[in-house]
Amino acid sequence: MASIVICGAGVVGLATALMLARDGHEVTVYEGDPSVPPDDPAQAWTAWQRRGVAQFRQPHNLLPRFRGVLAEELPEVIDLLVAAGCFEGNALHPLPPSVADYVPRPDDDRFRFLTGRRPVVEAVFASAAVAAGIRVHRGTTITGLLTGAPILPDIAHVIGVRTTDGTEFHADLVIDATGRRTASARWLTDIGAPAPLVESQDGGFAYYTRYFTGPRQPVRRSAPYTPYDTFALLTIPGDNDTWSVTVVATTGDAPLKALREPDCFTRVVRACPAQAHWLDGVPVTDIVVMAGILDRRRRFVVNGHPVATGFAAVGDAWACTNPTAARGLSVGLVQAQLLRDVVRRCADDPAGFPLVWDEATERVVTPFHHDQIHADRARAAAMSPDRTAAPAPSPFGAAAFRDAEVFRALLESATCLALPRDVLARPDIRARIDTARPEPADTAGTAGPNRASLLRLLTS
């Protein structure tokens, strides 16, 4: 039985802990935030604060890939999420009105998803960890790594962690799941290891979110993410008869900062026919603002050599992107499952583990990160008030909203069930896209204010 320390008790950290504990490993989790989740996850929204998580008050869509990994590894957590009031739906429903030839299939259930407010979702994972007997030490910040005798020449070997009160905890493997604000680079350089390779850029987006409640969820009349002229709307059902409306803008678009004001926010959303009825509830928050989100990836193998042995990073501590696409938790859960598999393969080979882990990460999850970076750049360019050209068309073309097979392929790509490059490489999908009638994609219900109208709404 291996002793494993996980730094960070967010959703991905706890999911990683649950999968590894299920394999018989002795898992201990350290979380710097001292706040304790309530016993009843449904009460987490009002009873729990997590100041260390920037997106804690933002909506979370647990995509079909996320739900699929849970169904394989932790099916009881799905039941707990539903019991806590999370919304469960299927991305195939409702279909766009222009997709009229869809024939149901036996595997349509793979498109099922869950949504919930982050405090409720995370509280469910916390309760599952407690039920599994995993020790979670909250209010305990990791300040550094412990090292032992090297197992590879000239490469630091991590054998545990040190906390703020000087306590040392030894382990066979230390996993960093502390999220976007990870201090792993400092931890590593403090023990004489090279810093990881880092790719980083500002995603360039700002998010203005308001939550509502009512007796029933709004009827969906458009895609969850709907782009308009120089902004976009994101509408997500929530847990316990709540839902959220988010206006997405670019950070450099100064006039749109007026969206912090509820009246401005309401006027803009009301001007969008497909989403206006999402305001027909009781507001339960003011406008929740988040900006300055970096797209960042860290790689812990440099020039073919691991920066250290006995150490791994998972989730946002490895890579993070624009949260609009809701891919962070889904890709993080895929990576957690992959990490568990690599630990199985390398349980008796700590020297080989970092290279095997890097190869698996680069092969399986890095392509999702690169795809999101590409999508972020295209979205930011399309939303820029200074753009000089029309937004680039979707690679799925007009066929996505007229051909049921192409629409299904688009959903696979959007929900992390498959990579766009793999979906678009399928001969039948490629042929359907290439032979589609040169008609625009369905825009029913997506009419909204242009730039001039938007500015008038903001200053009314």
Side-chain angles (χ1 to χ4, degrees), residues 345-423:
R345 291 169 55 192
C346 299
D348 297 321
D349 183 17
F353 169 83
L355 292 178
V356 175
W357 172 233
D358 177 74
E359 185 280 328
T361 297
E362 291 297 297
R363 173 171 45 83
V364 177
V365 290
T366 295
F368 284 103
H369 178 79
H370 286 159
D371 175 66
Q372 188 57 46
I373 295 296
H374 177 77
D376 285 354
R377 290 173 178 169
R379 283 179 173 176
M383 291 168 60
S384 171
D386 301 320
R387 69 172 187 259
T388 57
S394 163
F396 290 90
F401 293 94
R402 302 194 178 276
D403 185 307
E405 293 304 311
V406 179
F407 179 73
R408 185 185 176 95
L410 171 64
L411 281 186
E412 286 186 71
S413 168
T415 62
C416 292
L417 290 172
L419 287 163
R421 69 184 187 192
D422 296 334
V423 172

Side-chain angles (χ1 to χ4, degrees), residues 20 101 119 163 188 337:
L20 290 168
D101 58 340
T163 66
L188 290 164
Q337 183 184 43

Side-chain angles (χ1 to χ4, degrees), residues 94-278:
L95 290 168
S98 53
V99 178
D101 58 340
Y102 189 82
V103 177
R105 294 184 179 181
D107 67 343
D108 280 356
D109 274 0
R110 68 195 292 253
F111 289 96
R112 291 167 69 187
F113 66 92
L114 296 153
T115 61
R117 293 170 294 179
R118 173 63 178 262
V120 175
V121 172
E122 190 168 314
V124 165
F125 277 85
S127 66
V130 170
I134 295 170
R135 291 174 294 176
V136 180
H137 300 278
R138 297 186 182 273
T140 304
T141 301
I142 303 301
T143 58
L145 303 172
L146 305 177
T147 57
I151 58 175
L152 288 174
D154 302 319
I155 293 177
H157 179 55
V158 175
I159 62 167
V161 295
R162 181 182 297 104
T163 66
T164 46
D165 63 2
T167 301
E168 296 184 351
F169 192 94
H170 290 252
D172 300 307
L173 177 64
V174 173
I175 298 172
D176 178 18
T178 54
R180 295 173 180 268
R181 299 172 178 173
T182 176
S184 61
R186 176 177 56 77
W187 296 347
L188 290 164
T189 54
D190 282 351
I191 62 172
L197 294 174
V198 178
E199 300 171 356
S200 181
Q201 67 175 31
D202 189 332
F205 296 96
Y207 308 91
Y208 304 86
T209 298
R210 197 170 203 187
Y211 287 90
F212 299 83
T213 188
R216 63 186 61 86
Q217 294 286 345
V219 175
R220 184 165 295 288
R221 298 173 184 165
S222 66
Y225 180 88
T226 303
Y228 288 104
D229 190 356
T230 55
F231 70 101
L233 286 184
L234 180 66
T235 49
I236 300 180
D239 59 273
N240 298 292
D241 299 319
T242 64
W243 62 87
S244 62
V245 179
T246 300
V247 182
V248 184
T250 53
T251 52
D253 197 345
L256 270 63
K257 292 181 180 180
L259 289 165
R260 297 171 181 267
E261 298 298 327
D263 288 346
C264 289
F265 180 94
T266 298
R267 286 197 298 270
V268 170
V269 178
R270 284 285 184 207
C272 302
Q275 293 88 8
H277 63 292
W278 285 72

